[in-house]
Amino acid sequence: MTINPLKKKSLGNTSLEVTRLGLGCTSLGGMYEDMSEEQAVKVVHRSLSLGLNLFDTAPFYGSGKSEQRLGKALAEIPRDRFILATKVGRTLVPTLGKDRGKKIFVNPLPFQPVFDFSYDGIMRSFEESLTRLRCDRIDILHIHDPDDHYTEAIESAYPALEKLRSQGVIQAISVGMKQWEMLVRFAHEGDFDCFLLAGRYTLLDQSAMEELLPLCIKKNISVILGGTYNSGILATGAQPEAKYDYADAPLEILERVRQIEAVCDRYQVSLKAAASQFALAHPAVTAIIPGAATVEQVNENFSLLQQKIPDEFWAELQLKGLLRKDAPTPKAAG
């Protein structure tokens, strides 16, 4: 079974149609290692040339650097050729010091990201993103990481997004988080078109199946998945210092990945291909947005979805308890 990366799916109740594979733009902001502006533009242009149309960024990524570089890469591209997603919830405060953003971003722009879910803060962040992205509208706007700010996010940020949607300068309202529990609360209390969920529906963690994904199907909220490699271990395998959820992987996770790798070896299946294809098999999931720091990685992300994985591979993972028995697989998804 293979998955067509270029197949388009509707995003919630909007008129937007996104390719099943998009580009997450953390690397453009210098996540873990810096990249040149020229390289960033090449990554975006290669994604476009393959036919991908979904690009996801945020002010947080490199303190504006990712948005700035994505804007430059898309400046001469017809606007109807791509769907642009960015985030609100952090404003960028100018700083002359060395403490610029989180350490995960190398050589960020001279701004410090500060949480701000106020109505005015959301509007200001949106306007600044338009400037960096060199555009007059954004297709998808996510409320970014409101874990400790739920009340302000639903009472102040959400009305701001509703206002922008009514004005037609955004089409889809979303929340982007690394947890599923709070997304359930947002789904019940607001009119959201999609959610961006990172790391909670993967080969290693299917916890979002319990409540969030069925609810999203019921309410026609599309799910975009980030973090499908759980911060790296499903890409690198169970190597020393492999990362899981932005930290060194614990022993039980390393052992579980070793067992999955053994099944991969038996069926000659790429671990990364299995991780990518599994994530897209759930009917609630519309797209995945892996990052890429090079043109070669863009090509690889594309080819991973086209690699054939036998049905027996998924059956063995489930038989061995390495995958939930009720988790949809590419075979079941058709």
Side-chain angles (χ1 to χ4, degrees), residues 31-328:
M31 189 170 183
Y32 301 129
E33 59 181 340
D34 202 6
M35 66 192 301
S36 69
E37 186 176 84
E38 179 185 14
Q39 184 71 12
V41 171
K42 286 181 178 178
V43 164
V44 174
H45 286 176
R46 178 55 181 160
S47 301
L48 286 164
S49 70
L50 286 171
L52 308 186
N53 76 347
L54 176 59
F55 297 87
D56 185 272
T57 184
F60 180 56
Y61 304 160
S63 296
K65 182 189 282 189
S66 175
E67 287 186 323
Q68 193 177 84
R69 289 177 164 182
L70 182 59
K72 178 175 182 179
L74 296 174
E76 303 302 323
I77 307 299
R79 187 60 182 85
D80 60 357
R81 280 194 57 195
F82 58 89
I83 291 174
L84 190 56
T86 193
K87 305 177 181 71
V88 289
R90 288 178 175 91
T91 54
L92 299 181
V93 179
T95 176
L96 299 177
K98 294 183 179 180
D99 185 20
R100 296 181 292 176
K102 269 194 167 182
K103 293 180 180 178
I104 57 173
F105 292 102
V106 179
N107 193 28
L109 296 182
F111 299 92
Q112 180 68 31
V114 177
F115 280 116
D116 187 349
F117 295 92
S118 68
Y119 186 96
D120 289 344
I122 296 301
M123 291 301 193
R124 184 168 62 253
S125 176
F126 174 71
E127 291 296 333
E128 291 173 355
S129 288
L130 289 179
T131 299
R132 286 189 292 268
L133 289 164
R134 307 188 191 188
C135 60
D136 59 2
R137 75 178 194 275
I138 289 167
D139 300 298
I140 305 167
L141 197 58
H142 309 284
I143 301 172
H144 196 192
D145 293 339
D147 302 72
D148 299 322
H149 309 271
Y150 179 79
T151 299
E152 192 172 22
I154 195 67
E155 293 182 359
S156 298
Y158 174 68
L161 267 63
E162 277 194 309
K163 179 69 172 179
L164 293 170
R165 182 170 58 181
S166 71
Q167 293 173 340
V169 289
I170 66 173
Q171 291 196 57
I173 292 177
S174 174
V175 184
M177 305 190 73
K178 302 179 187 69
Q179 60 152 300
W180 62 265
E181 293 89 345
M182 191 173 285
L183 290 179
V184 169
R185 294 179 65 186
F186 279 111
H188 283 302
E189 295 195 32
D191 178 19
F192 291 92
D193 302 293
C194 57
F195 289 141
L196 172 57
L197 177 65
R200 300 286 74 85
Y201 191 69
T202 71
L203 275 181
L204 289 173
D205 185 341
Q206 294 103 56
S207 57
M209 276 186 65
E210 292 293 340
E211 191 172 353
L212 177 66
L213 298 187
L215 179 62
C216 286
I217 291 174
K218 180 180 178 181
K219 297 180 74 71
N220 196 26
I221 300 172
S222 292
V223 177
I224 300 169
L225 291 180
T228 49
Y229 297 145
N230 279 123
S231 303
I233 194 168
L234 289 175
T236 64
Q239 298 179 2
E241 300 183 357
K243 301 299 180 186
Y244 175 77
D245 281 358
Y246 308 98
D248 290 342
L251 292 177
E252 62 269 22
I253 293 295
L254 288 167
E255 178 56 30
R256 191 173 185 86
V257 173
R258 289 191 189 102
Q259 294 180 43
I260 294 173
E261 286 184 288
V263 180
C264 287
D265 290 343
R266 190 149 48 251
Y267 290 94
Q268 296 185 313
V269 167
S270 157
L271 177 63
K272 287 192 282 189
S276 296
Q277 293 192 30
F278 170 75
L280 282 169
H282 197 286
V285 176
T286 299
I288 60 173
I289 49 168
T294 65
V295 167
E296 290 73 23
Q297 288 177 3
V298 174
N299 293 336
E300 181 185 37
N301 289 338
F302 192 88
S303 67
L304 289 173
L305 296 182
Q306 299 179 308
Q307 293 181 20
K308 292 184 178 180
I309 299 180
D311 297 343
E312 293 77 12
F313 168 80
W314 304 110
E316 183 163 337
L317 286 182
Q318 291 177 322
L319 184 66
K320 291 181 177 294
L322 298 171
L323 191 62
R324 283 178 54 145
K325 286 184 167 59
D326 57 344

Side-chain angles (χ1 to χ4, degrees), residues 3-19:
I3 293 174
N4 180 3
L6 300 181
K7 182 179 180 180
K8 291 183 178 179
K9 295 195 72 173
S10 297
L11 197 76
N13 293 315
T14 75
S15 60
L16 299 171
E17 290 190 333
V18 299
T19 50

